[in-house]
């Protein structure tokens, strides 16, 4: 099954996709959109075009596990995405994914504008890989 992952941001939203065996997540795209309705349309279109059967949306919890305004926005976006596409949507804790993405980009010496253009899709990839690993601990 193809799974799409979404790392919501205020200006940029990262997307990642799984392979059909649900083993490996790969970066897909970064959407530059501030308008929530337009972003919903763009993400929905990608999910449908890719044939996604499940969408995983990153849930930005606070480090102590509580949920704030960003988590509320992510849950609202996920509900709207499910309603618009008819695709099952799950939430995945995304604590630490942006830091991990920056560390990975440091390791590959990805800097400046190139880094800014990929960091959100890398974070979406980490969110999706964490989800895949949690669902298939033996893989």
């Amino acid at each position: 099954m193809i799974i799409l992952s979404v790392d919501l941001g205020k200006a940029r939203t990262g997307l990642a996709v799984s392979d059909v065996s649900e083993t490996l997540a790969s970066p897909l795209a970064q959407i530059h959109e501030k308008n929530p309705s337009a972003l919903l349309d763009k993400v929905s279109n990608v999910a449908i075009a890719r044939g996604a059967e499940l969408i995983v949306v990153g849930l930005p919890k606070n480090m102590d596990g509580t949920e704030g305004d960003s988590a509320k926005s992510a849950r609202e976006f996920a509900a709207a995405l499910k309603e618009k596409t008819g695709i099952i949507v799950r939430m995945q804790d995304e604590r630490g994914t942006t830091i991990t993405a920056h560390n990975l980009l440091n390791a590959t010496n990805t800097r400046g504008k190139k880094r800014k253009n990929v960091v959100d899709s890398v974070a979406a990839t980490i969110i999706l890989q964490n989800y895949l690993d949690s669902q298939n601990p033996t893989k």
Side-chain angles (χ1 to χ4, degrees), residues 54-124:
L54 176 67
I55 301 171
V56 176
V57 175
L59 182 62
K61 291 184 175 184
N62 298 320
M63 292 312 285
D64 66 0
T66 60
E67 295 184 14
D69 291 339
S70 294
K72 180 182 176 195
S73 295
R75 287 190 184 279
E76 289 170 354
F77 183 84
L81 193 56
K82 181 180 180 185
E83 185 175 320
K84 185 168 184 70
T85 63
I87 299 171
I88 297 166
V89 178
R90 299 236 168 88
M91 305 302 293
Q92 175 69 31
D93 188 349
E94 69 170 45
R95 283 180 282 184
T97 55
T98 301
I99 293 166
T100 303
H102 281 288
N103 289 339
L104 289 170
L105 293 171
N106 285 342
T108 59
N109 202 27
T110 305
R111 307 260 183 238
K113 192 172 186 177
K114 186 173 182 183
R115 177 190 200 105
K116 190 175 185 180
N117 287 334
V118 298
V119 70
D120 296 298
S121 60
V122 172

